[in-house]
Amino acid sequence: MLFMALALSSACRGEADARGGQAPPPAPVILGPVEAKSMPVTVDAIGGVEAYTTVSVLPQVGGAITKVHFEEGATVKKDELLFTIDTRPYRATLSEAAARVTRDKALAKQAHDQADRTAKLVKEGLATQADLDQANANAEAADATLAADRAAVAGASISVSYATIRSPIAGRAGSLLVHAGNVVAPGSQPLVIIRAMKPIYVRFAVPEKYLSRIRERMSAGTLLVEARPRHDRGTPAEGKLTFVENTVDTATGTIALKAEFPNQDERLWPGQFVDVSLRLSEQESALVVPESAIQAGQNGDHVFVVGSDDKAVLRPVKVDRQVGREIVLESGVKPGERVVVDGQVRLFPGAPVVLKSAQPPSLSAPAEPAAPVAADAKAGPEKAPPPPAGGGKP
């Protein structure tokens, strides 16, 4: 209806201009080219960013936190010191276990010496075999006690080491959930959550009809994926497809995918929604026009083509897909033609146009502007004579 109204209004203007003997003024426009070039065949989707690894740091021993060694939100390295728990109770236990090892080591030596002496007496006939068996049993029991003491030392040492909590991965720390002075118990609650940001994952889903092509392309090589945060007009981040879910979601008819991105600039953030484009192949000699050239009408999409006569021709087109700020067409235009990308609101079929960078002077402007005369005056009076007085001929 809008197109019909514009056409009717334009026809009425043309009729009125014909009665007045004046042609309609050219409409100022900006033109863009129709190109034939290689364009990617992509599948677009909306995805969510996921951390490469997420770790909840939990205490493995109990006690009071004496110091926090990082700032919340900071980037931490692998094995970097995060928290210190009071180690005094665990060091006391370690010292006690070490003392038991020293004592039982001496007792074990004594038991072995007694077994050796009993063995000599048995050979001399001064002791019985039962005495030797008892001596050997005492020596083995002493060895077992010593081994248990050494295990206790190892356990106490581990407890001391657990009192200094280090980062298990490299990543960015989240909010500090427990502060210095708090008393924690083993596995009670997370102290902080660390997420690995480099690299990072983007999870998205595409219709199942693309599954066979995706699997075929993955077997032949790497599938490229582009991701751009929503409302971000910058260059999209580039990654590669690394995961295809092992089942199709029967509720939505989609297959879940996951792509990996280097994310060295940390442009992608966990939990963020992004526009995802999965590149399946390349289309050679595709018909491409700028996005702003496509107009929606009652009879479908169309563009205004401007020929050598500088008049607008309405041309119906069939849109195939959009890639960034460009539209790939199936038909309707030819390479090398010019289409209007700005100024369509004043156009109608057959309307004269003029480039905005070369607009004619306004109808109310003076017939002979001063600037050209002044420019010509530099070349000498014989090249640009002044107009005669009274409007007569020179």
Side-chain angles (χ1 to χ4, degrees), residues 4 10 18 33 54 71 74 90 151-152 210 217 248 255 269 304 306 311 318 337 373 394:
M4 294 177 63
S10 302
T54 300
E71 295 183 1
Y90 305 106
Y210 296 108
R217 292 287 297 167
V248 174
I255 183 73
W269 207 258
F304 282 101
V306 176
K311 291 186 178 180
K318 188 173 182 181
E337 291 184 318
V373 175

Side-chain angles (χ1 to χ4, degrees), residues 54-57 172-175 177 190-195:
T54 300
V55 175
S56 296
V57 179
R172 185 174 290 272
S175 300
L177 304 178
L191 307 181
V192 69
I193 298 176
I194 301 176
R195 292 181 171 86

Side-chain angles (χ1 to χ4, degrees), residues 52-109:
Y52 190 81
T53 306
T54 300
V55 175
S56 296
V57 179
L58 296 170
Q60 294 179 279
V61 295
I65 294 180
T66 57
K67 189 173 183 181
V68 178
H69 299 271
F70 70 100
E71 295 183 1
E72 57 182 356
T75 299
V76 296
K77 300 177 181 179
K78 181 177 173 59
D79 295 327
E80 181 176 337
L81 184 61
L82 301 179
F83 300 92
T84 299
I85 297 176
D86 187 5
T87 61
R88 290 175 296 178
Y90 305 106
R91 292 190 180 280
T93 302
L94 177 61
S95 298
E96 182 182 358
R100 286 198 300 269
V101 167
T102 302
R103 180 197 64 187
D104 292 336
K105 186 177 181 180
L107 294 176
K109 183 178 183 304

Side-chain angles (χ1 to χ4, degrees), residues 18 48 84 151-152 163 186-187 212 270 287 345 362:
T84 299
S212 59
L287 286 175
V345 68
S362 172

